[in-house]
Amino acid sequence: MSRAAETPRWVRAILGVPLIWAAARMALVSAFLIGGLTKLSDFSAAISEQEHFGLHPGWLWAALAIIIELGGSALVMLGWQVWLGAGGLGVLTAVAMLTANDFWHLTGHDRFMALNAFFEHLGLIAGLVIVSIHAAGSERK
């Protein structure tokens, strides 16, 4: 039995709607869009955030985050150079999870919260890899 046959026809029909794919890509990058726009609207707070997590110079890290969050999100949503947009977002997410979610240094409730956030970010990176794989497969067809 083929893998496609394992998925009910009605589910394949829904997943085949182009609007669903576009909405899923937008949802995947929504946190990056919000983050980039928020940093852009209050650049001094963005600098402070970067420096709070030990990233210096803060202005450089804040500017890079804005460029990657907005530019990478645009590439993923447009379906153009998805590997580049998703890759940039994935690397940014990895840096963020290693600096902001260092559960290995924490105890109690703080450790619990950071551990959850760490693995949520890891799942987000996996989603970015999956969208890149899908885009690469679409290019081959």
Side-chain angles (χ1 to χ4, degrees):
M1 179 180 282
S2 73
R3 292 222 161 223
E6 295 173 10
T7 305
R9 184 177 309 175
W10 66 272
V11 172
R12 281 186 278 140
I14 291 169
L15 295 176
V17 174
L19 184 59
I20 296 294
W21 180 232
R25 288 193 324 261
M26 185 169 198
L28 179 64
V29 300
S30 62
F32 299 109
L33 286 171
I34 300 281
L37 291 172
T38 301
K39 287 175 184 71
L40 190 60
S41 70
D42 191 351
F43 193 66
S44 62
I47 292 170
S48 295
E49 177 188 38
Q50 302 305 312
E51 291 175 350
H52 170 78
F53 290 115
L55 300 172
H56 298 280
W59 66 267
L60 177 61
W61 285 97
L64 287 172
I66 292 167
I67 292 165
I68 293 167
E69 286 179 326
L70 297 179
S73 295
L75 293 176
V76 170
M77 287 188 309
L78 294 171
W80 184 72
Q81 301 293 318
V82 173
W83 66 271
L84 179 61
L89 294 171
V91 170
L92 180 71
T93 302
V95 169
M97 67 190 253
L98 292 170
T99 58
N101 302 122
D102 57 342
F103 64 89
W104 50 92
H105 290 126
L106 304 172
T107 60
H109 183 70
D110 290 337
R111 177 183 167 80
F112 174 80
M113 297 298 289
L115 181 70
N116 280 342
F118 183 92
F119 283 98
E120 287 170 355
H121 283 86
L122 187 60
L124 182 55
I125 292 170
L128 292 164
V129 170
I130 291 167
V131 80
S132 295
I133 291 168
H134 183 276
S138 297
E139 291 171 1
R140 287 191 296 264
K141 292 180 181 176

